[in-house]
Amino acid sequence: MIPHVPTTPSPGRKRPTIRDVAREAGVSYATVSRVLNGREWVSPEAVRAVREAISRTGYTANPHARSLATGKSGSIAFLLTEPQHLLFEDPNFSVLLRGVAQALSDRELTLILMIASTPEERARTIAYLSGGHVDGVLLVSPHSGDPLLSQLVRAEVPIVACGRVLGYEQVISSVMADDRNGGRSAVEHLIGAGCGRIATITGPQDTAGGVDRLQGYHDALIAHGLTIDPGRIVHGDWSRESGAAAMRTLLERSPDLDAVFAASDAMADGALRVLREAGRDVPGDVRVVGFDDSGLAATTEPPLTTVRHPLDRVSEEMVRLLTDVIAGRTPLSITVPTTLVVRASSPA
C-alpha cells in the first residue's frame, strides 16, 4: 500500500477547510475546532481521527481567519527602549532576544522586534501596539520617567518587563535578576580578598537594575564597616565607553583605589582598558568585578570575575508570565537568583 503524502494546495486548488477535516474524520465541525484549539471534552479516539484527517487532507490553519475568530494576533512584541546600536553592542540584549524567540517559538507565537528610543519611534510604537497588532509586549530596559510607560499602560496592552519598572510595580509584571544581592555578593567578594578602597561604576539610576546594584554595593560596605565615599561612585549607561569614561574619573578622584565593581560586563571591559592604559595591573593593583556573565566576560583581558545574570531563565519566565497576563491573571513579579563567577580579574 502506498502511503498518503499530503501536498500543499496548488494555486488552482481549493484550500482544505475545517469542514473538509470533519468530513474526513467522521466527526462534527465543533469537534475539529475543539481539537485545533486544545480544548477539553474531546475523546482520545476523536483527537486521533482529527489528526489523521489533517494529515490526509493537508489542512493548515489560516492565521488571519484564526485571528478574526479568536481576537488574538498570535504575535508578541519584544520592545527595546535603548538606542538601536546597543542591541548589537550589548551582549545581554542579544542573549535575551534569542531566549525569548525560542520560548515564543515553542508556544507557536510570532516575535516582532521593536525599538523605541526616540520620540518618533515611541509615537510609531504606541500607534502600532494600540492597533491590536500584538497580543502582548515584552518590555526591555525600561527607564523611569519615559513617557512611553504611561502610554503603554493607557493602551491596556498586556506587558511583562525585564526588570522592575520603577513607579509601575503594581500594574506592570516583571521578571528580574536579584540585582541587589548580586551587587552585594560582588563587593563582599572584593572585601574578602582584602580590598578596602572599592569604587563602583553604576548603571543608569533611572533603571531598577542600576539602582539595585548600587544599593548592593552600599549594603556590603555598611555590613563590613567600610566608608561609603561618594568620590568612588560614578554613573554609567551600561556601555563600554561609559565604563571607560567612569574609570578615568575614578582614577582622578581616587588614585589609591584597589577595586572596582562595575554594574555591567561591558562597563567593566571599558574600565579594564583604561586601567591597562594607566599602567595598573589587574588584579595585582586593582581588582575588577562585573555583572551579567555575558559572553564578553570570559574574553576580556584578564577574564572577568562577574555576577551571573541568568538571562536564559529570565527570558523563559518573561514569556510564561506574559501568557498568564494575556489570560487575565493578576500582574506579579518574579525574582531570579544570581551567582558569582570567579575569574582572573579578581581571583578567590
Side-chain angles (χ1 to χ4, degrees), residues 1 3-7 16-18 20-27 32 35-36 43-60:
M1 177 179 178
H4 173 80
V5 179
T7 59
T17 68
I18 291 181
D20 294 327
V21 173
R23 184 165 51 252
E24 181 74 19
V27 299
V32 176
V35 171
L36 291 174
S43 70
E45 294 77 12
V47 171
R48 184 168 54 254
V50 168
R51 288 176 177 170
E52 291 174 353
I54 288 172
S55 177
R56 288 194 297 272
T57 61
Y59 169 81
T60 57

Short mmCIF file of all heavy atoms in Angstrom, two decimals, residues 1 3-7 16-18 20-27 32 35-36 43-60:
data_model
loop_
_atom_site.label_atom_id
_atom_site.label_comp_id
_atom_site.label_asym_id
_atom_site.label_seq_id
_atom_site.Cartn_x
_atom_site.Cartn_y
_atom_site.Cartn_z
N MET A 1 0.86 -1.20 0.00
CA MET A 1 0.00 0.00 0.00
C MET A 1 0.89 1.24 0.00
O MET A 1 1.83 1.36 0.79
CB MET A 1 -0.91 0.01 1.24
CG MET A 1 -1.78 1.26 1.35
SD MET A 1 -2.85 1.18 2.81
CE MET A 1 -3.65 2.74 2.68
N PRO A 3 1.65 4.91 0.99
CA PRO A 3 1.14 5.85 2.00
C PRO A 3 0.72 7.16 1.38
O PRO A 3 1.27 7.59 0.36
CB PRO A 3 2.34 6.04 2.93
CG PRO A 3 3.54 5.75 2.08
CD PRO A 3 3.10 4.68 1.14
N HIS A 4 -0.28 7.78 2.01
CA HIS A 4 -0.75 9.08 1.53
C HIS A 4 0.25 10.16 1.94
O HIS A 4 0.69 10.22 3.07
CB HIS A 4 -2.12 9.40 2.16
CG HIS A 4 -2.58 10.79 1.84
ND1 HIS A 4 -3.16 11.12 0.64
CD2 HIS A 4 -2.54 11.93 2.59
CE1 HIS A 4 -3.48 12.41 0.67
NE2 HIS A 4 -3.11 12.92 1.82
N VAL A 5 0.62 11.01 1.01
CA VAL A 5 1.52 12.12 1.30
C VAL A 5 0.76 13.40 1.07
O VAL A 5 0.34 13.70 -0.06
CB VAL A 5 2.77 12.09 0.38
CG1 VAL A 5 3.67 13.28 0.68
CG2 VAL A 5 3.51 10.78 0.55
N PRO A 6 0.53 14.19 2.15
CA PRO A 6 -0.22 15.43 1.99
C PRO A 6 0.55 16.41 1.13
O PRO A 6 1.77 16.47 1.17
CB PRO A 6 -0.38 15.95 3.42
CG PRO A 6 0.72 15.31 4.19
CD PRO A 6 0.94 13.98 3.55
N THR A 7 -0.14 17.15 0.34
CA THR A 7 0.50 18.15 -0.51
C THR A 7 -0.08 19.51 -0.23
O THR A 7 -1.21 19.65 0.23
CB THR A 7 0.28 17.81 -1.99
OG1 THR A 7 -1.12 17.78 -2.26
CG2 THR A 7 0.90 16.47 -2.33
N PRO A 16 -7.92 23.15 1.80
CA PRO A 16 -8.75 22.35 2.71
C PRO A 16 -9.25 23.17 3.89
O PRO A 16 -8.52 24.02 4.43
CB PRO A 16 -7.79 21.25 3.17
CG PRO A 16 -6.73 21.19 2.13
CD PRO A 16 -6.58 22.58 1.63
N THR A 17 -10.48 22.94 4.30
CA THR A 17 -11.08 23.67 5.42
C THR A 17 -11.33 22.75 6.59
O THR A 17 -11.17 21.52 6.50
CB THR A 17 -12.42 24.30 4.98
OG1 THR A 17 -13.36 23.22 4.74
CG2 THR A 17 -12.27 25.13 3.71
N ILE A 18 -11.76 23.34 7.70
CA ILE A 18 -12.11 22.54 8.88
C ILE A 18 -13.24 21.58 8.54
O ILE A 18 -13.28 20.44 9.03
CB ILE A 18 -12.49 23.46 10.06
CG1 ILE A 18 -11.26 24.21 10.58
CG2 ILE A 18 -13.11 22.65 11.20
CD1 ILE A 18 -11.55 25.13 11.75
N ASP A 20 -13.76 20.13 5.72
CA ASP A 20 -13.17 19.01 4.99
C ASP A 20 -12.56 18.02 5.98
O ASP A 20 -12.69 16.80 5.82
CB ASP A 20 -12.10 19.50 4.02
CG ASP A 20 -12.67 20.35 2.91
OD1 ASP A 20 -13.81 20.08 2.49
OD2 ASP A 20 -11.98 21.30 2.48
N VAL A 21 -11.88 18.55 6.99
CA VAL A 21 -11.27 17.70 8.01
C VAL A 21 -12.36 16.93 8.77
O VAL A 21 -12.23 15.73 9.02
CB VAL A 21 -10.42 18.53 8.99
CG1 VAL A 21 -9.92 17.66 10.15
CG2 VAL A 21 -9.24 19.17 8.27
N ALA A 22 -13.43 17.62 9.14
CA ALA A 22 -14.53 16.98 9.87
C ALA A 22 -15.14 15.84 9.06
O ALA A 22 -15.41 14.75 9.59
CB ALA A 22 -15.59 18.02 10.23
N ARG A 23 -15.37 16.09 7.77
CA ARG A 23 -15.96 15.07 6.91
C ARG A 23 -15.02 13.87 6.78
O ARG A 23 -15.44 12.71 6.86
CB ARG A 23 -16.26 15.67 5.53
CG ARG A 23 -16.96 14.74 4.57
CD ARG A 23 -17.54 15.48 3.39
NE ARG A 23 -16.57 16.36 2.76
CZ ARG A 23 -16.59 17.69 2.83
NH1 ARG A 23 -17.56 18.30 3.51
NH2 ARG A 23 -15.67 18.41 2.23
N GLU A 24 -13.72 14.13 6.65
CA GLU A 24 -12.73 13.06 6.51
C GLU A 24 -12.62 12.25 7.79
O GLU A 24 -12.46 11.02 7.76
CB GLU A 24 -11.37 13.67 6.15
CG GLU A 24 -10.24 12.67 5.96
CD GLU A 24 -10.36 11.90 4.66
OE1 GLU A 24 -11.08 12.38 3.74
OE2 GLU A 24 -9.75 10.81 4.55
N ALA A 25 -12.73 12.94 8.94
CA ALA A 25 -12.57 12.25 10.23
C ALA A 25 -13.86 11.61 10.71
O ALA A 25 -13.83 10.78 11.64
CB ALA A 25 -12.07 13.25 11.28
N GLY A 26 -14.98 12.00 10.11
CA GLY A 26 -16.25 11.45 10.54
C GLY A 26 -16.72 12.02 11.86
O GLY A 26 -17.40 11.34 12.64
N VAL A 27 -16.34 13.30 12.13
CA VAL A 27 -16.75 13.96 13.38
C VAL A 27 -17.38 15.30 13.02
O VAL A 27 -17.40 15.70 11.85
CB VAL A 27 -15.56 14.17 14.33
CG1 VAL A 27 -14.93 12.84 14.73
CG2 VAL A 27 -14.51 15.09 13.70
N VAL A 32 -13.70 19.20 15.62
CA VAL A 32 -12.43 19.59 15.00
C VAL A 32 -11.95 20.90 15.59
O VAL A 32 -10.76 21.07 15.90
CB VAL A 32 -12.58 19.72 13.47
CG1 VAL A 32 -11.28 20.23 12.85
CG2 VAL A 32 -12.98 18.39 12.85
N VAL A 35 -10.42 20.37 18.99
CA VAL A 35 -9.10 19.74 18.90
C VAL A 35 -8.06 20.77 18.50
O VAL A 35 -6.97 20.85 19.08
CB VAL A 35 -9.12 18.57 17.89
CG1 VAL A 35 -7.69 18.06 17.65
CG2 VAL A 35 -10.00 17.44 18.40
N LEU A 36 -8.36 21.59 17.49
CA LEU A 36 -7.40 22.58 16.99
C LEU A 36 -7.06 23.62 18.04
O LEU A 36 -5.95 24.15 18.07
CB LEU A 36 -7.96 23.26 15.74
CG LEU A 36 -8.07 22.39 14.49
CD1 LEU A 36 -8.77 23.15 13.37
CD2 LEU A 36 -6.70 21.92 14.02
N SER A 43 -12.75 13.08 23.11
CA SER A 43 -12.23 11.74 23.40
C SER A 43 -10.90 11.51 22.66
O SER A 43 -10.64 12.11 21.61
CB SER A 43 -13.23 10.68 22.94
OG SER A 43 -13.29 10.64 21.52
N PRO A 44 -10.05 10.65 23.22
CA PRO A 44 -8.77 10.33 22.54
C PRO A 44 -8.98 9.80 21.13
O PRO A 44 -8.19 10.09 20.23
CB PRO A 44 -8.15 9.27 23.46
CG PRO A 44 -8.76 9.50 24.80
CD PRO A 44 -10.16 9.98 24.53
N GLU A 45 -10.05 9.04 20.94
CA GLU A 45 -10.32 8.49 19.62
C GLU A 45 -10.63 9.61 18.62
O GLU A 45 -10.16 9.57 17.47
CB GLU A 45 -11.51 7.53 19.67
CG GLU A 45 -11.25 6.26 20.47
CD GLU A 45 -11.34 6.50 21.99
OE1 GLU A 45 -11.82 7.59 22.40
OE2 GLU A 45 -10.92 5.60 22.74
N ALA A 46 -11.41 10.60 19.06
CA ALA A 46 -11.76 11.72 18.18
C ALA A 46 -10.52 12.55 17.86
O ALA A 46 -10.33 13.00 16.71
CB ALA A 46 -12.84 12.58 18.82
N VAL A 47 -9.67 12.76 18.86
CA VAL A 47 -8.42 13.52 18.64
C VAL A 47 -7.56 12.82 17.60
O VAL A 47 -7.04 13.46 16.66
CB VAL A 47 -7.64 13.68 19.96
CG1 VAL A 47 -6.25 14.27 19.69
CG2 VAL A 47 -8.40 14.57 20.94
N ARG A 48 -7.43 11.50 17.72
CA ARG A 48 -6.63 10.74 16.78
C ARG A 48 -7.23 10.80 15.38
O ARG A 48 -6.51 10.99 14.38
CB ARG A 48 -6.51 9.28 17.24
CG ARG A 48 -5.60 8.44 16.35
CD ARG A 48 -5.27 7.09 16.98
NE ARG A 48 -6.47 6.35 17.35
CZ ARG A 48 -6.90 6.18 18.61
NH1 ARG A 48 -6.23 6.72 19.62
NH2 ARG A 48 -8.00 5.49 18.86
N ALA A 49 -8.53 10.69 15.28
CA ALA A 49 -9.20 10.74 13.98
C ALA A 49 -9.00 12.09 13.31
O ALA A 49 -8.76 12.18 12.09
CB ALA A 49 -10.69 10.44 14.14
N VAL A 50 -9.09 13.16 14.10
CA VAL A 50 -8.92 14.50 13.55
C VAL A 50 -7.49 14.71 13.06
O VAL A 50 -7.25 15.24 11.97
CB VAL A 50 -9.31 15.57 14.60
CG1 VAL A 50 -8.87 16.96 14.14
CG2 VAL A 50 -10.81 15.55 14.85
N ARG A 51 -6.52 14.27 13.86
CA ARG A 51 -5.13 14.45 13.47
C ARG A 51 -4.80 13.66 12.19
O ARG A 51 -4.07 14.14 11.33
CB ARG A 51 -4.22 14.04 14.62
CG ARG A 51 -4.24 15.04 15.78
CD ARG A 51 -3.42 14.57 16.95
NE ARG A 51 -3.41 15.57 18.01
CZ ARG A 51 -2.94 15.37 19.24
NH1 ARG A 51 -2.45 14.16 19.56
NH2 ARG A 51 -2.97 16.33 20.14
N GLU A 52 -5.35 12.46 12.09
CA GLU A 52 -5.12 11.67 10.88
C GLU A 52 -5.78 12.33 9.67
O GLU A 52 -5.23 12.33 8.57
CB GLU A 52 -5.64 10.25 11.09
CG GLU A 52 -4.82 9.45 12.09
CD GLU A 52 -5.43 8.09 12.39
OE1 GLU A 52 -6.57 7.85 11.92
OE2 GLU A 52 -4.79 7.29 13.10
N ALA A 53 -6.96 12.90 9.89
CA ALA A 53 -7.65 13.57 8.79
C ALA A 53 -6.89 14.82 8.36
O ALA A 53 -6.83 15.14 7.16
CB ALA A 53 -9.07 13.95 9.23
N ILE A 54 -6.29 15.54 9.31
CA ILE A 54 -5.48 16.72 8.97
C ILE A 54 -4.30 16.30 8.10
O ILE A 54 -3.98 16.94 7.09
CB ILE A 54 -4.99 17.42 10.25
CG1 ILE A 54 -6.17 18.13 10.95
CG2 ILE A 54 -3.87 18.40 9.95
CD1 ILE A 54 -5.83 18.69 12.31
N SER A 55 -3.69 15.17 8.47
CA SER A 55 -2.55 14.67 7.69
C SER A 55 -2.97 14.28 6.28
O SER A 55 -2.28 14.58 5.29
CB SER A 55 -1.93 13.47 8.41
OG SER A 55 -0.87 12.92 7.66
N ARG A 56 -4.13 13.62 6.16
CA ARG A 56 -4.57 13.17 4.84
C ARG A 56 -5.00 14.32 3.95
O ARG A 56 -4.77 14.30 2.74
CB ARG A 56 -5.73 12.17 5.00
CG ARG A 56 -5.32 10.81 5.56
CD ARG A 56 -6.41 9.78 5.36
NE ARG A 56 -7.63 10.12 6.07
CZ ARG A 56 -7.90 9.77 7.33
NH1 ARG A 56 -7.01 9.08 8.02
NH2 ARG A 56 -9.04 10.10 7.90
N THR A 57 -5.65 15.31 4.53
CA THR A 57 -6.17 16.41 3.71
C THR A 57 -5.13 17.49 3.45
O THR A 57 -5.30 18.30 2.52
CB THR A 57 -7.38 17.07 4.40
OG1 THR A 57 -6.97 17.59 5.67
CG2 THR A 57 -8.51 16.07 4.57
N GLY A 58 -4.07 17.54 4.27
CA GLY A 58 -3.08 18.61 4.13
C GLY A 58 -3.58 19.93 4.68
O GLY A 58 -3.08 21.00 4.31
N TYR A 59 -4.54 19.87 5.61
CA TYR A 59 -5.10 21.09 6.18
C TYR A 59 -4.05 21.85 7.00
O TYR A 59 -3.28 21.26 7.75
CB TYR A 59 -6.30 20.75 7.09
CG TYR A 59 -6.77 21.93 7.92
CD1 TYR A 59 -7.61 22.89 7.37
CD2 TYR A 59 -6.35 22.08 9.25
CE1 TYR A 59 -8.04 23.98 8.13
CE2 TYR A 59 -6.78 23.15 10.01
CZ TYR A 59 -7.61 24.10 9.44
OH TYR A 59 -8.02 25.17 10.19
N THR A 60 -4.00 23.17 6.84
CA THR A 60 -3.21 24.05 7.71
C THR A 60 -4.10 25.21 8.13
O THR A 60 -4.96 25.67 7.36
CB THR A 60 -1.97 24.62 7.00
OG1 THR A 60 -2.38 25.31 5.82
CG2 THR A 60 -0.99 23.51 6.64
#
